[in-house]
Amino acid sequence: MHDTGTVSQSAPAPGGPAPAPTQGPDPARTGHLPSPEREGGSRHARRFGLPVATALVMGNIIGGGIFLLPVSVAPYGTISLVAFGVLTVGAIALALVFGRLAQRDPRTGGPYVYVREAFGDFAGFLAAWSYWITSWVSNAALAVTAVGYLDVLLPLHGSPWLMMTAALVVQWLPALANLAGTRYVGAVQLVSTVLKFVPLLLVAIGGLFFFDPDNLGPFQAGEGGALGAVSASAAILLFSYLGVESAAVSAGEVRNPRRNVGRATVLGTLGAALVYLLGTLAVFGTVAHDKLLTSSAPFTDAVNAMFGGTWGGAAVACAALVSIVGALNGWTLLSAQTAYAAARDGLFPARFAVKRRGVSTFGVIVTVVLASLLTVYNYMAGTARVFEILVLVTTFTATVPYLLATAAQLYFLVSGQRDRVRPARLARDAVLALAAFGFSMWLLAGSGYAAVYQGVLFLFAGVLVYAWMSARKARA
């Protein structure tokens, strides 16, 4: 979406290597001092271990979109699986870069922290502002998507009031888990990730026993060439990997972050990629291609084809709801953590910097209130047009921090800051950073002209907020 000081985090793990002489900026200079509550050991605040951090990454990458992905790429044929492979390589490169950056500077804030350290307050603010907007607008989109699946289990009869109420409930339940403390955030994330992966893996693995090559359809559908088909399907799949930075954003809440953030990021991205690829392949092999082109619930059709009956709709709806609630839980945390990190540096209002139970409660409340207002407006206006535009904007704003963070890594490498880069890893890290930068540029290009145009306007609207906050800092 998602801590405190670097003092306790800089100690080496038992039996592990000693940290470099200077692993990141001085906490006294940046204001990232240990929080009194964390030092006091609140029973509601608990740091995430590797399993929970990995679940956070996987849960945030995989929301509700996976349940429609096979339909989205079916028009291009099975060549879209090649696009999956290309995108996975780019996502892994981005995940490794975030792991390297978190190892150097394991503070809460992720991309914002790295960008501010490399390029100063203004660039850091743009990264934080962009990421923060993405998180709460995306939460509204996830909640509206959840209502569609909920309608399968509890028919809402198309009532705007019932649908709006359901969307608000879906948003506020994960927010309450966040307000209860990081201990409960981690529990919800781990349980929801396990529960949603069981049915997804059931389809992915079960589909291998019912796989029929005749269902695959053409390798390449349409008139364009192979490269055009890969690029077109990749443009649809690009944003399936948003969320790889989740562990880095909440690095301050992860135990032994220098070691675990990188591992959780890579493991979570690989796990999500495996589920994406196997799930899509299973649907391709169990649902006839001509039927898949017009399907509104491909995983439901796959379950019904494998096991018979019509119970697949309810099973997939339950899995989708669990998946979306887990994503909402994680993105709410990331939204609050990003605002918290910026507020500690005086770039967001100070209220965001107050933590209780390991979470910025004000950040959580602002996130859920803004997402709720957007949801209410969506249903009251009677049209999804404005809402769709805002969601389209997030496809741009989500990738701006990626681009800036990978640029920050390149800056650290090229500027020769030996306290931040191990010479033995210089060539390898440079290749990874360039690959991740290229992947981020591809993400921006894939969002489309409309998203870039609207996103730039949305992004630079934050300049007014930055001017106000900077003036307050100067006055103080």
Side-chain angles (χ1 to χ4, degrees), residues 124-413:
F125 171 82
L126 289 181
W129 174 261
S130 180
Y131 196 82
W132 181 68
I133 287 173
T134 298
S135 58
W136 61 262
V137 175
S138 296
N139 274 12
L142 283 169
V144 172
T145 303
V147 172
Y149 292 107
L150 184 62
D151 192 43
V152 176
L153 304 174
L154 301 171
L156 303 175
H157 307 294
S159 169
W161 289 102
L162 288 177
M163 295 171 72
M164 181 177 70
T165 302
L168 293 176
V169 170
V170 170
Q171 285 180 38
W172 277 89
L173 287 177
L176 292 176
N178 273 263
L179 291 173
T182 52
R183 174 181 182 180
Y184 301 98
V185 173
V188 170
Q189 199 66 28
L190 189 58
V191 170
S192 64
T193 300
V194 171
L195 289 179
K196 76 179 175 184
F197 272 87
V198 168
L200 287 174
L201 288 176
L202 175 65
V203 173
I205 297 174
L208 299 178
F209 297 96
F210 297 88
F211 193 89
D212 184 354
D214 293 335
N215 289 328
L216 292 176
F219 176 71
Q220 179 191 333
E223 298 291 331
L227 183 60
V230 170
S231 297
S233 54
I236 296 174
L237 299 170
L238 280 172
F239 304 100
S240 302
Y241 286 100
L242 295 181
V244 297
E245 75 294 339
S246 301
V249 174
S250 288
E253 299 300 334
V254 178
R255 287 197 297 269
N256 193 6
R258 298 187 192 280
R259 178 183 181 185
N260 286 337
V261 167
R263 291 185 174 188
T265 301
V266 174
L267 289 174
T269 304
L270 281 173
L274 182 65
V275 171
Y276 278 151
L277 186 60
L278 288 180
T280 303
L281 182 62
V283 172
F284 277 2
T286 53
V287 181
H289 184 258
D290 56 346
K291 182 179 179 181
L292 184 61
L293 291 172
T294 58
S295 174
S296 60
F299 275 79
T300 295
D301 293 336
V303 171
N304 290 340
M306 287 190 293
F307 304 110
T310 58
W311 57 272
V316 170
C318 288
L321 282 172
V322 170
S323 179
I324 292 172
V325 168
L328 282 166
N329 181 65
W331 280 107
T332 300
L333 175 66
L334 297 192
S335 175
Q337 298 288 57
T338 299
Y340 162 81
R344 288 294 296 265
D345 295 325
L347 300 180
F348 266 42
R351 289 287 300 278
F352 285 99
V354 178
K355 279 197 171 187
R356 292 185 178 86
R357 303 183 181 93
V359 177
S360 170
T361 54
F362 184 73
V364 170
I365 291 171
V366 170
T367 294
V368 72
V369 167
L370 288 173
S372 298
L373 290 174
L374 183 56
T375 303
V376 170
Y377 178 78
N378 175 60
Y379 284 109
M380 296 299 290
T383 174
R385 181 57 186 160
V386 175
F387 187 73
E388 288 172 357
I389 291 174
L390 289 175
V391 171
L392 188 64
V393 167
T394 65
T395 61
F396 170 83
T397 58
T399 53
V400 169
Y402 293 176
L403 192 68
L404 293 174
T406 53
Q409 173 72 338
L410 287 170
Y411 167 80
F412 294 137
L413 293 168

Side-chain angles (χ1 to χ4, degrees), residues 4-10 21-35 105-107 116-117 258 344-345:
T4 42
T6 59
V7 174
S8 62
Q9 296 164 354
S10 60
T22 53
Q23 295 283 349
D26 179 10
R29 178 172 64 84
T30 61
H32 283 75
L33 298 173
S35 110
D105 193 347
R107 290 180 292 157
R116 178 175 178 266
E117 179 66 16
R258 298 187 192 280
R344 288 294 296 265
D345 295 325

Side-chain angles (χ1 to χ4, degrees), residues 95-117:
L96 288 169
V97 169
F98 276 121
R100 295 283 188 271
L101 288 167
Q103 186 179 43
R104 185 191 67 81
D105 193 347
R107 290 180 292 157
T108 291
Y112 157 74
V113 171
Y114 319 136
V115 173
R116 178 175 178 266
E117 179 66 16

